Amino acid sequence: GENVEQHPSTLSVQEGDSAVIKCTYSDSASNYFPWYKQELGKRPQLIIDIRSNVGEKKDQRIAVTLNKTAKHFSLHITETQPEDSAVYFCAAYNTNAGKSTFGDGTTLTVKP
Amino acid sequence: DTAVSQTPKYLVTQMGNDKSIKCEQNLGHDTMYWYKQDSKKFLKIMFSYNNKELIINETVPNRFSPKSPDKAHLNLHINSLELGDSAVYFCASSRQRGGGTDTQYFGPGTRLTVL
């Protein structure tokens, strides 16, 4: 089955700096890669996603890149703000298996 | 107009008791899930139903029994609760299985504490 590894497990940055979270996946059949943000005490919510036929996608201060050959994808947050502090989860979805596998999460802390 | 709702939000109970958590989605999605999030924040899939049919069962103890009376509802019944069952349980839904994307819409979670 699919295995998703996410790094780092914790990340602390100064407000205004950039943050990068990386995930690798094992199953080349995975074809959809969402990122979820979970604020303290709240539910995970989708912030950005990318399909396997796209290499990069941007939405304001967040971007996701995908390298299918190397089987890794990354979340980039620029100009971080304290409200970006949360746990971020990557996931890999395999259409054939009909299942998403989640990474173990990254706790991002943005210091004012 | 809540998309995915769960009840109860908090559940405190004694070891050995039986409890249920209910989930409803009004998004018209075909697929629903139960996830367990432990104290380390790991998000682990437990079950998935597609149009009332169980399609994923991830080596969960058989004390846990999901039920989907229709595609908008997914319940989770837990027998003989143990201390290790303490966690936040999230229900989620997605549009359809095998649809090429699998954006999950999560409920607010049920925090279960077993004493």
Side-chain angles (χ1 to χ4, degrees):
Chain A
E2 176 65 275
N3 182 45
V4 176
E5 293 192 359
Q6 183 171 346
H7 298 282
S9 56
T10 60
L11 179 59
S12 182
V13 300
Q14 211 60 40
E15 184 176 359
D17 287 350
S18 295
V20 180
I21 303 170
K22 298 182 179 181
C23 288
T24 59
Y25 61 100
S26 59
D27 190 344
S28 55
S30 289
N31 55 6
Y32 172 66
F33 306 93
W35 286 88
Y36 295 87
K37 176 184 180 183
Q38 185 179 23
E39 296 177 358
L40 191 62
K42 302 280 180 72
R43 72 190 80 189
Q45 291 191 288
L46 179 78
I47 54 170
I48 196 166
D49 56 8
I50 192 166
R51 294 192 192 212
S52 58
N53 58 350
V54 175
E56 183 175 358
K57 184 176 177 181
K58 269 187 180 180
D59 183 3
Q60 298 182 345
R61 294 187 298 108
I62 59 172
V64 56
T65 57
L66 171 65
N67 183 326
K68 276 197 320 185
T69 306
K71 296 207 217 43
H72 66 69
F73 56 112
S74 301
L75 177 72
H76 304 254
I77 306 174
T78 58
E79 299 171 29
T80 53
Q81 299 166 6
E83 51 265 39
D84 294 329
S85 296
V87 179
Y88 291 82
F89 292 95
C90 65
Y93 175 65
N94 183 318
T95 300
N96 296 332
K99 178 179 140 183
S100 284
T101 302
F102 282 77
D104 285 343
T106 296
T107 301
L108 173 66
T109 304
V110 180
K111 298 178 192 172
Chain B
D1 59 350
T2 306
V4 183
S5 58
Q6 286 178 237
T7 54
K9 193 167 172 61
Y10 300 97
L11 193 47
V12 181
T13 188
Q14 300 285 334
M15 257 191 338
N17 283 352
D18 304 338
K19 290 293 177 187
S20 291
I21 308 171
K22 295 189 175 185
C23 178
E24 177 181 359
Q25 54 97 1
N26 62 6
L27 296 167
H29 288 169
D30 287 348
T31 309
M32 295 185 74
Y33 309 81
W34 279 113
Y35 287 89
K36 179 180 181 182
Q37 186 169 47
D38 60 22
S39 56
K40 293 184 180 176
K41 303 294 187 187
F42 298 152
L43 201 56
K44 297 299 182 193
I45 190 168
M46 300 172 69
F47 302 102
S48 175
Y49 273 76
N50 188 65
N51 270 324
K52 302 193 297 176
E53 180 189 348
L54 180 66
I55 53 170
I56 295 173
N57 183 341
E58 293 282 309
T59 56
V60 177
N62 57 16
R63 297 182 296 104
F64 290 79
S65 50
K67 272 210 174 80
S68 181
D70 55 61
K71 73 174 195 177
H73 295 85
L74 179 62
N75 304 323
L76 182 66
H77 187 76
I78 315 170
N79 288 325
S80 304
L81 278 155
E82 300 177 358
L83 293 176
D85 297 332
S86 295
V88 179
Y89 292 84
F90 285 101
C91 174
S93 72
S94 62
R95 190 177 305 273
Q96 61 179 136
R97 184 170 184 242
T101 65
D102 184 51
T103 302
Q104 310 236 342
Y105 295 80
F106 286 85
T110 295
R111 182 173 293 278
L112 171 64
T113 304
V114 182
L115 304 174

